[in-house]
Amino acid sequence: MLSRTKIKYTFVLTLFIIACLYSCKSETEKLIDNKDQRTLTSYVNPFIGTEGNGSHHTEGNVHPGAVRPWGMVAFSPQSFDFTKMELATGYRNDQDKIFGFSSVNFSGVGCPGAGSVPFKFFAKPFQGNYLGSKYSEQVASPGFYSVKLDDENIRVSATTTTRSVLLKVELPAGKSHVYLDLMAQQGHVKGGVVEGYTNNSVKGYQLEGYFCGTENRNNVYFNAELDKKADSTYLTYTNKTNPKFNQNLEQEPSGIIYVYQNEKPTTIYIKVGVSYVSTDNALLNLNEEQQGFQFEKVKKESEDEWEQELSKITVETNSLDDKTVFYTSLYHALLMPITYSDSNGEYLKMGSEEIGKTNHTRYTAFSLWDTYRTTHPLFTLAYPERQLEMIQTMLDIYDESGWLPKWSIFNSETYLMTGDPAPIVIGDAYIKGINQFDINKAYEAFEKHANHVEGNLMRRGLKEYNSLGYIAMDGEFSDVKNFQWDNGIVWGAVSSVMEFNLSDFNIAQVAKSLGKDADYKKYLKHSMSFMNNYNDDMALFQPKNKDGSWYEPFDPTQELWSEMNFGLRGGPGFCEGSSWQYLFSVPHGIETLKKKMGDERFLSQLNTLFDKNYFDMTNEPGLGFPYFYNYTEQKNYKTAETVHRLLKEHFTTKPNGYPGNDDAGAMSAWVVFSMMGIYPDTPGSPEYLVTAPVVEKATIQLNPKFYKGKQLVIERDGPIDGVIKNMSFNGNPIDYKINHIDMTTNGGTLVIKTEKTK
């Protein structure tokens, strides 16, 4: 029998060994042990995607700033002198200085824009142009950002509500300056006006516009308060007339500096309300969403809101990196579009200065060509309440302007990119069960887009598309040398046809659901006209001339057109890509394309696309291509193998962990779907292609206001690098596809069983 002393000794020794073993674990292993104690927001790293090599196609163009889901404001650092710069992003993690901070920022876009209502903080004497500060101790998490400006010995921390910012600024002893510099702005247009101020408040507006070279112009209104009165204030007058926008601001104050003379280190708080309607509404937004200067309270509320939105999808995995990539991607997918309406429902109507009022949230910055493939289908599945409001916004835009949006920003339509994406977004959501909107009005808009030629900048080349079944390279809209966004030029004759085809496919599906059989047949036929550009000799798509001959010379690998000296990507006939990179960009017609090619050639072309690195992970047209192995005999391993490789190669936990622009969340949403093992390959068809997920388990909470099912569970039963043995949903076998209606009507469990090969 053991003595009490020996038992006590053995117990202590055991505890000691356990403690030693735990202390030897890696930090990752410890985090996995404590995974149930971590919030989902703790897996988000906002610095992922903030670094690149200087080209806007090789970085995420995301920001690390404080922001709410789909927030109007996003307070983020500016690591360039943004009184001069015209870059698509205000912050890059590899820069060694911070020049200031701005209160409104876009996420993942490819052109300069926003960067509005900017603040600069410095202790050095003011000499007209602030040269930035080295920085350290930078921290970012959902709803929070903080950094120390080393050269100034000033710490800036920020949190936000949907329409307002709250700053905590820790100033050193001595003289410090708080500079609202309205000449510092992210985009091409510079300038603004201080309309009124005291020694602890200021209101006014800043110019915003010329996004991607388009002639749109807006005012961003602000109303700011400081919790401590400044010892002195003075205005700055650095405006210059911008003749393109006919703004005469030289005699107006374009900035204000608050000077604090502190006997000891002092903390001040600054809160800023923003509006696109008026300074009064900016103050209203501020007062509605904040009371006092309660930094920790607002920060906690922001964190809680993010936790709530992220928890709509929970994943289980033993890889900390995978969990970080997943939740950072989900976070980035929920940043755009941004809130546009004020807390009282007011906003500026599309194409005018008239004030409208809405009883739902009005959104802006719809980058629909980028987002229709992944982002909006993600909203439809996991955030249908937001998707509905976005569709209602689109229909409101139709009421106000006569057209659905394409790349709308504030109260302007830029007509950027190719195709006609709005019917795709709306049609896909409707077919998947989101029907709490006026579908007859939507269908009326669809028909106008598809048939009305005059003034139709949504479908450039529509006349030829409807009469010839393709758009000619030497036709009515072929003057690329005199390219302007507003002259109706076709950017990519072949790719435009493909995009119009998918839009017509969605119109056809809606027509069918409404009992419009003749329309269904008409638009379904239109949707297959991509075959007019299919050259069977090459098994590729090629542009045509008006007489029906092939456009020559033609190189299907060409990604840049020398005549297009204005810097846009795309080989002859294609928008932002080559013929190879558009080869399978007809998801609704993939079976038709496969039948024409034959099984062997279809697989061969798909393999060539990836083997010869023709595939472009940085751009949207090819996002579904890895999943098209599901249409081949290699579907039990090649889809997962390809998707997992692309995820591992291109999406990491590092600051340069994105392959290209996040494109308003499009790339991030692709990651979310891909890590769960389902992909909405064909908008307008209520199906997802299925492969082995990266995570062991994903659970999607279904909104009971839209779906009868409670939740959808996706499980991988077996090794991640195994081949797929079988798939089932609620115990019933499925064949590499699953229906959205089946998933959401009853909910349930999708199981993908994998096994190791010998």
Side-chain angles (χ1 to χ4, degrees):
M1 176 180 278
L2 291 173
S3 66
R4 290 185 178 180
T5 302
K6 286 183 178 180
I7 292 173
K8 183 177 181 181
Y9 173 79
T10 303
F11 178 71
V12 172
L13 180 61
T14 301
L15 290 177
F16 176 74
I17 292 171
I18 292 172
C20 287
L21 288 173
Y22 184 78
S23 67
C24 293
K25 286 188 175 185
S26 69
E27 289 304 309
T28 297
E29 290 172 319
K30 291 178 186 178
L31 289 170
I32 291 171
D33 282 346
N34 294 325
K35 63 183 179 181
D36 292 335
Q37 301 174 21
R38 293 188 63 175
T39 60
L40 300 183
T41 56
S42 69
Y43 295 105
V44 176
N45 180 357
F47 293 108
I48 294 175
T50 61
E51 188 174 306
N53 66 10
S55 166
H56 76 270
H57 289 292
T58 56
E59 59 193 9
N61 281 350
V62 295
H63 63 75
V67 60
R68 293 282 182 105
W70 301 281
M72 177 184 289
V73 301
F75 191 87
S76 186
Q78 298 279 342
S79 58
F80 298 88
D81 182 357
F82 58 141
T83 59
K84 302 175 182 177
M85 81 168 211
E86 293 182 351
L87 297 176
T89 179
Y91 175 87
R92 286 182 183 150
N93 192 69
D94 50 0
Q95 300 299 302
D96 63 355
K97 282 188 175 183
I98 287 177
F99 287 80
F101 307 84
S102 51
S103 305
V104 178
N105 286 277
F106 297 146
S107 179
V109 299
C111 290
S116 310
V117 194
F119 287 87
K120 300 176 180 180
F121 306 96
F122 51 95
K124 299 171 184 176
F126 178 63
Q127 296 179 343
N129 186 32
Y130 181 57
L131 300 178
S133 171
K134 300 279 189 179
Y135 62 94
S136 62
E137 300 177 28
Q138 188 174 218
V139 177
S141 61
F144 176 73
Y145 174 83
S146 181
V147 69
K148 181 182 178 184
L149 303 177
D150 293 335
D151 295 344
E152 314 297 344
N153 195 25
I154 293 174
R155 177 179 293 281
V156 179
S157 301
T159 188
T160 64
T161 67
T162 299
R163 301 173 181 85
S164 71
V165 175
L166 179 56
L167 306 179
K168 177 183 179 182
V169 186
E170 300 170 58
L171 303 174
K175 182 180 288 188
S176 295
H177 305 81
V178 176
Y179 183 14
L180 175 63
D181 182 5
L182 300 181
M183 284 299 291
Q185 206 267 356
Q186 180 69 26
H188 299 273
V189 180
K190 311 292 182 183
V193 173
V194 173
E195 293 182 329
Y197 71 99
T198 67
N199 59 359
N200 69 333
S201 69
V202 60
K203 64 180 180 179
Y205 67 89
Q206 188 173 28
L207 301 182
E208 166 68 59
Y210 206 59
F211 183 74
C212 273
T214 59
E215 296 195 18
N216 62 302
R217 179 181 62 79
N218 308 88
N219 294 336
V220 183
Y221 297 93
F222 60 87
N223 215 311
E225 299 176 8
L226 299 83
D227 75 320
K228 290 182 175 62
K229 294 182 177 180
D231 293 296
S232 61
T233 61
Y234 57 97
L235 299 171
T236 62
Y237 294 79
T238 53
N239 276 313
K240 296 181 176 62
T241 298
N242 186 330
K244 178 175 281 293
F245 295 95
N246 196 28
Q247 292 288 328
N248 298 297
L249 303 174
E250 300 100 318
Q251 306 305 315
E252 300 289 343
S254 58
I256 185 169
I257 297 177
Y258 291 89
V259 182
Y260 288 88
Q261 186 68 55
N262 300 315
E263 294 182 359
K264 60 181 181 179
T266 301
T267 298
I268 65 170
Y269 293 89
I270 305 170
K271 58 182 182 179
V272 187
V274 169
S275 167
Y276 294 97
V277 174
S278 66
T279 55
D280 287 343
N281 274 17
L283 181 60
L284 175 68
N285 289 339
L286 182 59
N287 291 336
E288 286 287 322
E289 298 184 353
Q290 291 193 47
Q291 292 76 44
F293 296 86
Q294 303 179 71
F295 189 87
E296 292 303 321
K297 177 178 181 292
V298 175
K299 177 174 177 283
K300 178 65 165 57
E301 291 171 347
S302 187
E303 291 171 349
D304 289 347
E305 183 175 345
W306 272 113
E307 188 71 17
Q308 179 181 355
E309 297 296 352
L310 295 175
S311 67
K312 301 288 178 63
I313 306 177
T314 55
V315 297
E316 296 178 18
T317 172
N318 287 325
S319 169
L320 178 61
D321 283 354
D322 285 347
K323 213 162 191 179
T324 299
V325 169
F326 182 88
Y327 280 109
T328 301
S329 298
L330 182 56
Y331 166 82
H332 281 143
L334 307 186
L335 296 181
M336 297 275 282
I338 68 172
T339 298
Y340 184 52
S341 55
D342 292 328
S343 57
N344 61 1
E346 292 185 347
Y347 64 93
L348 290 187
K349 290 185 176 182
M350 180 60 66
S352 76
E353 297 298 313
E354 182 183 351
I355 297 174
K357 193 160 187 174
T358 179
N359 57 8
H360 60 79
T361 300
R362 170 89 169 212
Y363 295 90
T364 190
F366 283 107
S367 183
L368 294 181
W369 182 81
D370 298 305
T371 57
Y372 80 72
R373 296 168 176 86
T374 57
T375 314
H376 285 285
L378 177 63
F379 296 165
T380 294
L381 178 60
Y383 304 91
E385 69 285 353
R386 296 284 186 166
Q387 178 74 336
L388 175 60
E389 288 188 322
M390 292 172 192
I391 291 172
Q392 290 169 329
T393 295
M394 295 179 198
L395 295 181
D396 290 343
I397 290 173
Y398 173 69
D399 283 340
E400 296 158 10
S401 68
W403 302 96
L404 295 168
K406 188 171 191 175
W407 214 129
S408 64
I409 181 169
F410 308 129
N411 63 335
S412 301
E413 175 54 63
T414 65
Y415 305 106
L416 290 170
M417 300 307 295
T418 189
D420 182 19
I424 302 175
V425 173
I426 298 172
D428 182 60
Y430 182 75
I431 294 301
K432 290 176 178 174
I434 297 182
N435 53 20
Q436 300 90 330
F437 62 91
D438 189 344
I439 187 59
N440 292 311
K441 179 188 292 184
Y443 192 80
E444 174 189 295
F446 295 171
E447 288 223 282
K448 181 176 181 181
H449 280 226
N451 298 290
H452 189 83
V453 173
E454 186 177 354
N456 189 344
L457 298 183
M458 300 300 170
R459 292 201 183 195
R460 302 177 179 99
L462 176 61
K463 184 177 180 180
E464 289 181 1
Y465 172 79
N466 282 343
S467 61
L468 299 176
Y470 64 92
I471 299 173
M473 292 292 281
D474 59 349
E476 185 177 353
F477 298 95
S478 59
D479 188 8
V480 297
K481 293 182 179 179
N482 296 317
F483 178 92
Q484 292 180 12
W485 285 119
D486 61 352
N487 73 354
I489 186 69
V490 174
W491 182 8
V494 181
S495 50
S496 290
V497 168
M498 291 175 161
E499 296 287 347
F500 295 169
N501 284 174
L502 185 55
S503 186
D504 284 343
F505 175 77
N506 276 265
I507 297 174
Q509 304 313 306
V510 174
K512 184 178 181 180
S513 73
L514 296 177
K516 299 177 183 291
D517 293 339
D519 283 1
Y520 167 69
K521 293 176 182 178
K522 168 188 172 182
Y523 290 113
L524 190 64
K525 181 180 179 181
H526 283 190
S527 76
M528 305 305 291
S529 70
F530 62 86
M531 292 302 294
N532 291 326
N533 285 107
Y534 178 72
N535 186 334
D536 197 41
D537 292 338
M538 296 187 294
L540 292 166
F541 290 95
Q542 183 173 351
K544 278 185 171 181
N545 296 313
K546 200 167 186 178
D547 63 4
S549 62
W550 295 116
Y551 173 85
E552 297 286 357
F554 180 68
D555 177 1
T557 67
Q558 186 176 347
E559 295 184 51
L560 296 173
W561 196 352
S562 60
E563 292 183 51
M564 298 175 76
N565 55 14
F566 37 80
L568 298 175
R569 299 166 66 197
F574 296 90
C575 167
E576 292 196 357
S578 67
S579 177
W580 272 104
Q581 289 162 356
Y582 270 87
L583 175 55
F584 302 102
S585 195
V586 285
H588 66 289
I590 203 72
E591 294 283 9
T592 298
L593 182 62
K594 181 187 173 188
K595 184 177 181 180
K596 181 67 176 178
M597 287 184 176
D599 291 353
E600 185 176 343
R601 200 178 194 190
F602 181 89
L603 177 58
S604 174
Q605 290 294 79
L606 193 55
N607 284 334
T608 300
L609 181 75
F610 289 102
D611 293 344
K612 292 194 174 182
N613 293 320
Y614 294 149
F615 177 75
D616 183 5
M617 189 70 251
T618 72
N619 220 355
E620 282 71 24
L623 290 183
F625 293 3
Y627 291 88
F628 292 157
Y629 280 109
N630 272 20
Y631 293 99
T632 75
E633 61 184 9
Q634 298 177 357
K635 60 187 176 183
N636 65 332
Y637 74 95
K638 198 59 178 286
T639 303
E641 178 185 279
T642 307
V643 170
H644 295 177
R645 175 179 59 80
L646 292 170
L647 284 167
K648 187 175 181 179
E649 289 180 0
H650 296 289
F651 298 93
T652 72
T653 60
K654 297 179 180 179
N656 65 353
Y658 274 41
N661 288 350
D662 192 28
D663 283 330
M667 294 294 171
S668 290
W670 183 87
V671 173
V672 171
F673 276 120
S674 295
M675 294 187 76
M676 294 193 297
I678 61 174
Y679 187 74
D681 64 302
T682 307
S685 171
E687 290 184 322
Y688 301 83
L689 294 179
V690 182
T691 192
V694 172
V695 298
E696 282 80 21
K697 182 178 180 180
T699 303
I700 303 170
Q701 302 300 327
L702 300 174
N703 188 329
K705 294 182 179 180
F706 295 84
Y707 303 126
K708 293 180 180 179
K710 182 178 180 181
Q711 63 182 21
L712 170 67
V713 178
I714 305 168
E715 292 183 353
R716 171 170 47 81
D717 179 9
I720 188 172
D721 56 350
V723 299
I724 296 173
K725 185 177 181 180
N726 57 59
M727 300 177 179
S728 64
F729 181 62
N730 290 340
N732 300 311
I734 62 169
D735 187 17
Y736 293 84
K737 284 186 178 182
I738 189 167
N739 188 281
H740 176 91
I741 306 301
D742 293 341
M743 292 194 310
T744 57
T745 298
N746 298 308
T749 302
L750 168 64
V751 178
I752 300 93
K753 186 173 179 59
T754 64
E755 61 181 7
K756 277 283 191 181
T757 56
K758 293 181 181 180

